[in-house]
Amino acid sequence: MTVRVTLVSAAMGSALREARFDDGGPLEPAGLRQAEQAAGALPAAARAYASPSPRCAATAAALGLRAEPAPALAGCAMGRWTGLTLAEVAAAEGAAVARWLSDPAAAPHGGESLLDLFARVAGWLDALPGDVAAGDVASGGGRGPVVAVVEPDVVRAAALHALGVPGPAFWRLDVPPLSVTELTGRSGRWNVRWGRPAGG
C-alpha cells in the first residue's frame, strides 16, 4: 500500500536563527506570520502530526492543521548541550563536537545519537500505512496522505531513510524553515521530492 507523507519544517524561531540547540523556544513573529500566510497551501491529509515542540505546534496551528503530537517525531535530544549555541559548545568541548559531527553513533552530549534519531524516525515512517488506515480524508475517507510539521533534523533523518544513504550525509542536507519535503511509497521503497516552500 502506497502512502504520501508531506513533511513541513517548522517556521523560523530564535534557536534556528542563532544556531542554538533547541530549548523549546517559540516562533519568531516573522516566522508566525509566514506560517499564517501559507495556511491552506498544503494538500488535504487524512492525519496531521507535529513534533512535540512549541515551535512545531505553533507552526501547525498557524498553518491551520489540527495536528496531534507525535513523540517519535521529536528533534534529536541534545542532552547537556540543549540551549547552547554551536559556537559555545565548540569552544568548550571541541573534541566532542568533532566526534559528534563525524560519527553518527556518538552522543557526547548525553542525549541521543544521530543513529538513535534515524531509527526512531524510520520506525514511525515505516509504520504509517497501517496507521493511516483509520484516517478520515475529506474526499471520501479511508487511507490517505499524512502531513507532519517537524524539526529540520527529523526531515533530514526521514529523507536519509527514504533514500537509503549513509548517516554522514545528514550534514549535507539543508532544510529551510517552512519548506516541504514529500515522501511517497512504503516501507523499503520511498521516493523523495525535496524542499519546495510551504506556500508555493
Side-chain angles (χ1 to χ4, degrees):
M1 176 66 68
T2 297
V3 62
R4 186 169 77 246
V5 184
T6 300
L7 300 175
V8 184
S9 61
M12 180 64 75
S14 59
L16 182 59
R17 185 178 298 284
E18 298 167 7
R20 179 162 39 86
F21 295 108
D22 187 34
D23 56 0
L27 293 179
E28 293 186 344
L32 179 60
R33 285 194 301 272
Q34 290 170 346
E36 289 171 342
Q37 290 167 359
L42 296 173
R47 190 78 61 87
Y49 299 95
S51 294
S53 69
R55 184 171 62 236
C56 288
T59 299
L63 290 169
L65 300 173
R66 297 180 64 181
E68 60 182 277
L73 297 180
C76 192
M78 298 307 298
R80 69 176 181 276
W81 293 357
T82 300
L84 300 175
T85 67
L86 181 57
E88 289 169 338
V89 175
E93 302 183 54
V97 171
R99 187 165 72 255
W100 175 65
L101 292 173
S102 62
D103 180 4
H109 42 64
E112 287 182 298
S113 70
L114 291 183
L115 291 184
D116 293 334
L117 172 67
F118 297 162
R120 174 162 54 79
V121 173
W124 179 85
L125 189 61
D126 288 342
L128 273 179
D131 181 52
V132 178
D136 180 27
V137 77
S139 60
R143 294 180 188 268
V146 170
V147 173
V149 178
V150 297
E151 302 291 348
D153 54 355
V154 173
V155 177
R156 293 187 189 103
L160 291 185
H161 175 65
L163 295 172
V165 298
F170 179 87
W171 302 113
R172 301 179 68 182
L173 301 178
D174 291 330
V175 182
L178 283 179
S179 61
V180 173
T181 300
E182 295 172 327
L183 308 180
T184 305
R186 61 188 182 278
S187 179
R189 185 178 177 85
W190 293 96
N191 294 320
V192 180
R193 184 180 179 202
W194 188 260
R196 67 175 174 84

